[in-house]
Amino acid sequence: MTTPTLLVLDADPLPRLGRLTGRARIEHADPTTLAAKLPDADVLLVWDFTSHAVRHAWPGDGPRPRWVHTASAGVDHLMCPELAASDTVVTNARGIFDEPIAEYVAALVLAMAKDLPRTLELQGQKIWRHRESRRLAGTRACVVGSGPIGRAIVRTLKALGVTSALVGRVPRTGIHGPEDLDRLIARADWIIAAAPLTEQTSGMFDARRFGMMQPSARFINVGRGPLVVEEALVEALSKRWIAGAALDVFAHEPLGPESPLWGLPGLVVSPHMSGDTIGWRDELAAQFVELYERWEAGRTLPNAVDKQRGYVPGR
């Protein structure tokens, strides 16, 4: 039996794939060599999940890998019409980032409710200024995105006494549909974006939606940057339509020093780190090895992405 060829789109540090020694012929590629190496690969591991190289390299002549796995929750960086129309199975890192992102969201909610950014700022200036902070218990959240990350956020906020409404692509038991979104964000204290990036979700948080939020509301995005019309958020915070916001993802990353987002009042900027806890790369590599062993045995792969929808269908 021929040893399968595993092609890895590299990023530092490289994944630990020692368990696959002798079971896969591992080749490496960067954005400049990916297109030439794709026809010889049986499996593609998109370890550099910030790269759009797959989207550009996939169209063309010759065979393509039977399976593509991305070490990320989102798949928008690699999907193109040719990949979506192919028989190639695409899987993602569903399950790795759920709890870490939920913890990060909870930390942001607590920090904003207790005015911790201002406390640290005043401490740096050696200013003693007593203020009152907000109780979390009894507040309301609207969590947009009903996948594992969104559900983990709801569970974590519940422990803090926050009542959450979860919004998904279609309404079902315990989950609201898109038609309820405007009503829910208009009464929410916390609006949390955790949705995948699709044609339907791109730009969903625009001037109209920021305008219908309460003046005391806070907005958090841990989904994908293009869910937000950033110019509209700049206006909403500058004019104090809402009380504050926190962004961990952006339309263009890394965020350039010229961006007006850096200096906005009430905005917390973090560098796409909400799911990255100590040891996360090893968890991603271990998950891929387990999936490879299933693929090698001819078993059905979990975490299979619906390539038309752009995410793994859930309950």
Side-chain angles (χ1 to χ4, degrees), residues 114-295:
K114 303 307 177 184
D115 201 21
L116 293 185
R118 182 63 172 156
T119 294
L120 295 174
E121 180 183 342
L122 292 170
Q123 178 182 343
Q125 300 172 17
K126 299 181 180 179
I127 297 175
W128 180 282
R129 182 172 299 162
H130 180 270
R131 289 111 59 220
E132 295 177 346
S133 64
R134 188 173 190 178
R135 289 193 64 181
L136 278 181
T139 61
R140 296 173 175 173
C142 175
V143 180
V144 184
S146 60
I149 293 173
R151 296 198 298 270
I153 291 169
V154 169
R155 290 193 302 270
T156 304
L157 291 182
K158 183 178 180 181
L160 299 174
V162 179
T163 300
S164 298
L166 188 59
V167 179
R169 188 180 67 90
V170 294
R172 49 205 187 275
T173 303
I175 299 174
H176 296 268
E179 63 277 5
D180 292 334
L181 180 59
D182 289 354
R183 173 178 61 83
L184 292 170
I185 66 174
R187 61 196 293 235
D189 302 293
W190 314 96
I191 299 92
I192 300 157
L197 179 60
T198 66
E199 290 183 4
Q200 291 72 36
T201 62
S202 180
M204 67 187 304
F205 291 100
D206 54 12
R208 183 182 71 84
R209 286 209 162 110
F210 286 123
M212 66 177 54
M213 295 178 188
Q214 300 183 79
S216 59
R218 267 89 168 183
F219 173 78
I220 296 172
N221 187 13
V222 290
R224 305 298 287 171
L227 299 179
V228 177
V229 178
E230 292 178 352
E231 296 82 0
L233 179 60
V234 169
E235 182 179 24
L237 288 171
S238 299
K239 295 182 177 179
R240 303 193 183 281
W241 294 351
I242 59 176
L247 300 179
D248 186 56
V249 288
F250 302 86
H252 301 285
E253 297 180 7
L255 189 64
E258 74 287 349
S259 173
L261 294 171
W262 289 109
L264 275 180
L267 178 62
V268 177
V269 170
S270 59
H272 204 148
M273 59 180 283
S274 60
D276 301 346
T277 53
I278 296 170
W280 66 285
R281 290 183 178 88
D282 289 342
E283 291 183 47
L284 287 172
Q287 180 190 52
F288 173 74
V289 170
E290 291 176 5
L291 289 173
Y292 185 91
E293 291 172 343
R294 292 180 64 98
W295 177 83

Side-chain angles (χ1 to χ4, degrees), residues 39-124:
D40 297 320
D42 298 293
V43 179
L44 173 63
L45 168 57
V46 185
W47 189 246
D48 184 359
F49 53 81
T50 65
S51 173
H52 291 82
V54 175
R55 183 187 298 170
H56 300 300
W58 193 271
D61 298 327
R64 289 295 181 265
R66 292 172 282 160
W67 169 35
V68 174
H69 177 78
T70 178
S72 61
V75 299
D76 53 278
H77 60 291
L78 58 86
M79 293 304 298
C80 62
E82 292 81 1
L83 175 53
S86 72
D87 294 331
T88 296
V89 175
V90 176
T91 57
N92 72 351
R94 181 183 176 107
I96 298 294
F97 301 108
D98 309 352
E99 297 301 334
I101 291 178
E103 293 171 0
Y104 200 87
V105 168
L108 288 171
V109 168
L110 281 165
M112 290 191 283
K114 303 307 177 184
D115 201 21
L116 293 185
R118 182 63 172 156
T119 294
L120 295 174
E121 180 183 342
L122 292 170
Q123 178 182 343

